[in-house]
PDB file of all heavy atoms in Angstrom:
ATOM      1  N   ASP I 218      11.606 -16.991   3.764  1.00  0.00           N
ATOM      2  CA  ASP I 218      11.089 -16.398   2.497  1.00  0.00           C
ATOM      3  C   ASP I 218      10.084 -15.266   2.748  1.00  0.00           C
ATOM      4  O   ASP I 218       9.669 -14.593   1.805  1.00  0.00           O
ATOM      5  CB  ASP I 218      10.405 -17.480   1.651  1.00  0.00           C
ATOM      6  CG  ASP I 218      11.437 -18.468   1.128  1.00  0.00           C
ATOM      7  OD1 ASP I 218      12.632 -18.119   1.087  1.00  0.00           O
ATOM      8  OD2 ASP I 218      11.033 -19.616   0.767  1.00  0.00           O
ATOM      9  N   ASN I 219       9.665 -15.093   3.987  1.00  0.00           N
ATOM     10  CA  ASN I 219       8.733 -13.968   4.250  1.00  0.00           C
ATOM     11  C   ASN I 219       9.429 -12.639   3.959  1.00  0.00           C
ATOM     12  O   ASN I 219      10.642 -12.538   4.053  1.00  0.00           O
ATOM     13  CB  ASN I 219       8.310 -13.959   5.750  1.00  0.00           C
ATOM     14  CG  ASN I 219       7.331 -15.072   6.078  1.00  0.00           C
ATOM     15  OD1 ASN I 219       7.133 -15.983   5.275  1.00  0.00           O
ATOM     16  ND2 ASN I 219       6.743 -15.008   7.249  1.00  0.00           N
ATOM     17  N   PHE I 220       8.626 -11.623   3.667  1.00  0.00           N
ATOM     18  CA  PHE I 220       9.171 -10.275   3.453  1.00  0.00           C
ATOM     19  C   PHE I 220       9.840  -9.787   4.732  1.00  0.00           C
ATOM     20  O   PHE I 220       9.239  -9.833   5.815  1.00  0.00           O
ATOM     21  CB  PHE I 220       7.998  -9.341   3.092  1.00  0.00           C
ATOM     22  CG  PHE I 220       8.347  -7.874   3.053  1.00  0.00           C
ATOM     23  CD1 PHE I 220       8.939  -7.317   1.931  1.00  0.00           C
ATOM     24  CD2 PHE I 220       8.055  -7.074   4.155  1.00  0.00           C
ATOM     25  CE1 PHE I 220       9.255  -5.958   1.908  1.00  0.00           C
ATOM     26  CE2 PHE I 220       8.364  -5.702   4.134  1.00  0.00           C
ATOM     27  CZ  PHE I 220       8.970  -5.172   2.996  1.00  0.00           C
ATOM     28  N   GLY I 221      11.093  -9.343   4.633  1.00  0.00           N
ATOM     29  CA  GLY I 221      11.782  -8.773   5.790  1.00  0.00           C
ATOM     30  C   GLY I 221      13.103  -9.440   6.074  1.00  0.00           C
ATOM     31  O   GLY I 221      13.274 -10.626   5.862  1.00  0.00           O
ATOM     32  N   ASP I 222      14.047  -8.631   6.555  1.00  0.00           N
ATOM     33  CA  ASP I 222      15.379  -9.148   6.885  1.00  0.00           C
ATOM     34  C   ASP I 222      15.407  -9.621   8.336  1.00  0.00           C
ATOM     35  O   ASP I 222      15.071  -8.855   9.244  1.00  0.00           O
ATOM     36  CB  ASP I 222      16.441  -8.041   6.748  1.00  0.00           C
ATOM     37  CG  ASP I 222      16.518  -7.493   5.325  1.00  0.00           C
ATOM     38  OD1 ASP I 222      15.847  -8.073   4.426  1.00  0.00           O
ATOM     39  OD2 ASP I 222      17.217  -6.486   5.117  1.00  0.00           O
ATOM     40  N   LEU I 223      15.879 -10.840   8.512  1.00  0.00           N
ATOM     41  CA  LEU I 223      15.973 -11.365   9.875  1.00  0.00           C
ATOM     42  C   LEU I 223      17.196 -10.785  10.607  1.00  0.00           C
ATOM     43  O   LEU I 223      17.166 -10.494  11.784  1.00  0.00           O
ATOM     44  CB  LEU I 223      16.070 -12.897   9.800  1.00  0.00           C
ATOM     45  CG  LEU I 223      16.241 -13.651  11.118  1.00  0.00           C
ATOM     46  CD1 LEU I 223      15.092 -13.360  12.073  1.00  0.00           C
ATOM     47  CD2 LEU I 223      16.352 -15.154  10.841  1.00  0.00           C
ATOM     48  N   ARG I 224      18.262 -10.650   9.841  1.00  0.00           N
ATOM     49  CA  ARG I 224      19.520 -10.153  10.422  1.00  0.00           C
ATOM     50  C   ARG I 224      19.866  -8.777   9.872  1.00  0.00           C
ATOM     51  O   ARG I 224      19.541  -8.535   8.705  1.00  0.00           O
ATOM     52  CB  ARG I 224      20.653 -11.129  10.116  1.00  0.00           C
ATOM     53  CG  ARG I 224      20.451 -12.492  10.747  1.00  0.00           C
ATOM     54  CD  ARG I 224      21.656 -13.385  10.447  1.00  0.00           C
ATOM     55  NE  ARG I 224      21.550 -14.663  11.140  1.00  0.00           N
ATOM     56  CZ  ARG I 224      20.854 -15.716  10.714  1.00  0.00           C
ATOM     57  NH1 ARG I 224      20.169 -15.630   9.580  1.00  0.00           N
ATOM     58  NH2 ARG I 224      20.809 -16.818  11.394  1.00  0.00           N
ATOM     59  N   PRO I 225      20.554  -7.904  10.598  1.00  0.00           N
ATOM     60  CA  PRO I 225      20.965  -8.099  11.985  1.00  0.00           C
ATOM     61  C   PRO I 225      19.771  -7.964  12.935  1.00  0.00           C
ATOM     62  O   PRO I 225      18.916  -7.096  12.739  1.00  0.00           O
ATOM     63  CB  PRO I 225      21.949  -6.947  12.220  1.00  0.00           C
ATOM     64  CG  PRO I 225      21.567  -5.888  11.219  1.00  0.00           C
ATOM     65  CD  PRO I 225      20.991  -6.614  10.044  1.00  0.00           C
ATOM     66  N   PHE I 226      19.732  -8.820  13.927  1.00  0.00           N
ATOM     67  CA  PHE I 226      18.638  -8.816  14.917  1.00  0.00           C
ATOM     68  C   PHE I 226      19.142  -8.139  16.182  1.00  0.00           C
ATOM     69  O   PHE I 226      20.150  -8.548  16.723  1.00  0.00           O
ATOM     70  CB  PHE I 226      18.177 -10.242  15.234  1.00  0.00           C
ATOM     71  CG  PHE I 226      17.009 -10.272  16.152  1.00  0.00           C
ATOM     72  CD1 PHE I 226      15.705 -10.382  15.661  1.00  0.00           C
ATOM     73  CD2 PHE I 226      17.188 -10.144  17.526  1.00  0.00           C
ATOM     74  CE1 PHE I 226      14.614 -10.376  16.510  1.00  0.00           C
ATOM     75  CE2 PHE I 226      16.107 -10.125  18.381  1.00  0.00           C
ATOM     76  CZ  PHE I 226      14.808 -10.237  17.875  1.00  0.00           C
ATOM     77  N   TRP I 227      18.445  -7.103  16.638  1.00  0.00           N
ATOM     78  CA  TRP I 227      18.969  -6.314  17.752  1.00  0.00           C
ATOM     79  C   TRP I 227      17.950  -6.028  18.855  1.00  0.00           C
ATOM     80  O   TRP I 227      18.256  -5.340  19.834  1.00  0.00           O
ATOM     81  CB  TRP I 227      19.538  -4.993  17.239  1.00  0.00           C
ATOM     82  CG  TRP I 227      18.595  -4.246  16.344  1.00  0.00           C
ATOM     83  CD1 TRP I 227      18.574  -4.264  14.957  1.00  0.00           C
ATOM     84  CD2 TRP I 227      17.493  -3.375  16.722  1.00  0.00           C
ATOM     85  NE1 TRP I 227      17.549  -3.469  14.472  1.00  0.00           N
ATOM     86  CE2 TRP I 227      16.878  -2.922  15.536  1.00  0.00           C
ATOM     87  CE3 TRP I 227      16.988  -2.954  17.960  1.00  0.00           C
ATOM     88  CZ2 TRP I 227      15.781  -2.059  15.536  1.00  0.00           C
ATOM     89  CZ3 TRP I 227      15.885  -2.081  17.960  1.00  0.00           C
ATOM     90  CH2 TRP I 227      15.301  -1.659  16.760  1.00  0.00           C
ATOM     91  N   PHE I 228      16.721  -6.515  18.728  1.00  0.00           N
ATOM     92  CA  PHE I 228      15.670  -6.153  19.693  1.00  0.00           C
ATOM     93  C   PHE I 228      16.019  -6.645  21.119  1.00  0.00           C
ATOM     94  O   PHE I 228      16.654  -7.681  21.289  1.00  0.00           O
ATOM     95  CB  PHE I 228      14.334  -6.792  19.323  1.00  0.00           C
ATOM     96  CG  PHE I 228      13.667  -6.200  18.103  1.00  0.00           C
ATOM     97  CD1 PHE I 228      14.262  -5.184  17.403  1.00  0.00           C
ATOM     98  CD2 PHE I 228      12.451  -6.699  17.679  1.00  0.00           C
ATOM     99  CE1 PHE I 228      13.629  -4.632  16.285  1.00  0.00           C
ATOM    100  CE2 PHE I 228      11.840  -6.184  16.552  1.00  0.00           C
ATOM    101  CZ  PHE I 228      12.424  -5.156  15.860  1.00  0.00           C
ATOM    102  N   ALA I 229      15.516  -5.919  22.099  1.00  0.00           N
ATOM    103  CA  ALA I 229      15.500  -6.419  23.481  1.00  0.00           C
ATOM    104  C   ALA I 229      14.535  -7.572  23.550  1.00  0.00           C
ATOM    105  O   ALA I 229      13.511  -7.562  22.846  1.00  0.00           O
ATOM    106  CB  ALA I 229      15.061  -5.314  24.427  1.00  0.00           C
ATOM    107  N   THR I 230      14.822  -8.574  24.361  1.00  0.00           N
ATOM    108  CA  THR I 230      13.919  -9.723  24.412  1.00  0.00           C
ATOM    109  C   THR I 230      13.542 -10.105  25.841  1.00  0.00           C
ATOM    110  O   THR I 230      13.012 -11.195  26.080  1.00  0.00           O
ATOM    111  CB  THR I 230      14.498 -10.937  23.666  1.00  0.00           C
ATOM    112  OG1 THR I 230      15.869 -11.102  24.059  1.00  0.00           O
ATOM    113  CG2 THR I 230      14.443 -10.758  22.163  1.00  0.00           C
ATOM    114  N   ASP I 231      13.854  -9.251  26.806  1.00  0.00           N
ATOM    115  CA  ASP I 231      13.334  -9.468  28.164  1.00  0.00           C
ATOM    116  C   ASP I 231      13.128  -8.107  28.831  1.00  0.00           C
ATOM    117  O   ASP I 231      13.496  -7.067  28.296  1.00  0.00           O
ATOM    118  CB  ASP I 231      14.258 -10.385  28.987  1.00  0.00           C
ATOM    119  CG  ASP I 231      15.646  -9.795  29.192  1.00  0.00           C
ATOM    120  OD1 ASP I 231      15.762  -8.571  29.380  1.00  0.00           O
ATOM    121  OD2 ASP I 231      16.633 -10.580  29.147  1.00  0.00           O
ATOM    122  N   THR I 232      12.521  -8.147  30.017  1.00  0.00           N
ATOM    123  CA  THR I 232      12.156  -6.922  30.711  1.00  0.00           C
ATOM    124  C   THR I 232      13.359  -6.051  31.049  1.00  0.00           C
ATOM    125  O   THR I 232      13.295  -4.836  30.928  1.00  0.00           O
ATOM    126  CB  THR I 232      11.428  -7.320  32.032  1.00  0.00           C
ATOM    127  OG1 THR I 232      10.255  -8.006  31.631  1.00  0.00           O
ATOM    128  CG2 THR I 232      11.025  -6.128  32.817  1.00  0.00           C
ATOM    129  N   VAL I 233      14.443  -6.707  31.460  1.00  0.00           N
ATOM    130  CA  VAL I 233      15.612  -5.929  31.872  1.00  0.00           C
ATOM    131  C   VAL I 233      16.190  -5.171  30.677  1.00  0.00           C
ATOM    132  O   VAL I 233      16.476  -3.980  30.739  1.00  0.00           O
ATOM    133  CB  VAL I 233      16.679  -6.869  32.502  1.00  0.00           C
ATOM    134  CG1 VAL I 233      17.957  -6.126  32.781  1.00  0.00           C
ATOM    135  CG2 VAL I 233      16.136  -7.519  33.762  1.00  0.00           C
ATOM    136  N   GLN I 234      16.299  -5.861  29.550  1.00  0.00           N
ATOM    137  CA  GLN I 234      16.835  -5.206  28.348  1.00  0.00           C
ATOM    138  C   GLN I 234      15.869  -4.105  27.865  1.00  0.00           C
ATOM    139  O   GLN I 234      16.310  -3.019  27.445  1.00  0.00           O
ATOM    140  CB  GLN I 234      17.018  -6.233  27.229  1.00  0.00           C
ATOM    141  CG  GLN I 234      18.134  -7.236  27.515  1.00  0.00           C
ATOM    142  CD  GLN I 234      18.288  -8.263  26.413  1.00  0.00           C
ATOM    143  OE1 GLN I 234      17.388  -8.447  25.578  1.00  0.00           O
ATOM    144  NE2 GLN I 234      19.406  -8.969  26.410  1.00  0.00           N
ATOM    145  N   ALA I 235      14.576  -4.387  27.908  1.00  0.00           N
ATOM    146  CA  ALA I 235      13.599  -3.385  27.454  1.00  0.00           C
ATOM    147  C   ALA I 235      13.699  -2.134  28.312  1.00  0.00           C
ATOM    148  O   ALA I 235      13.646  -1.000  27.823  1.00  0.00           O
ATOM    149  CB  ALA I 235      12.186  -3.964  27.495  1.00  0.00           C
ATOM    150  N   GLN I 236      13.860  -2.323  29.629  1.00  0.00           N
ATOM    151  CA  GLN I 236      14.020  -1.166  30.523  1.00  0.00           C
ATOM    152  C   GLN I 236      15.330  -0.432  30.219  1.00  0.00           C
ATOM    153  O   GLN I 236      15.384   0.801  30.251  1.00  0.00           O
ATOM    154  CB  GLN I 236      13.967  -1.613  31.987  1.00  0.00           C
ATOM    155  CG  GLN I 236      14.156  -0.490  33.011  1.00  0.00           C
ATOM    156  CD  GLN I 236      13.123   0.646  32.930  1.00  0.00           C
ATOM    157  OE1 GLN I 236      11.913   0.372  32.840  1.00  0.00           O
ATOM    158  NE2 GLN I 236      13.556   1.900  32.961  1.00  0.00           N
TER     159      GLN I 236
END
Side-chain angles (χ1 to χ4, degrees):
D218 291 340
N219 286 13
F220 170 82
D222 299 352
L223 177 59
R224 296 183 175 83
F226 184 96
W227 51 263
F228 289 0
T230 47
D231 62 38
T232 298
V233 174
Q234 292 178 343
Q236 178 60 46

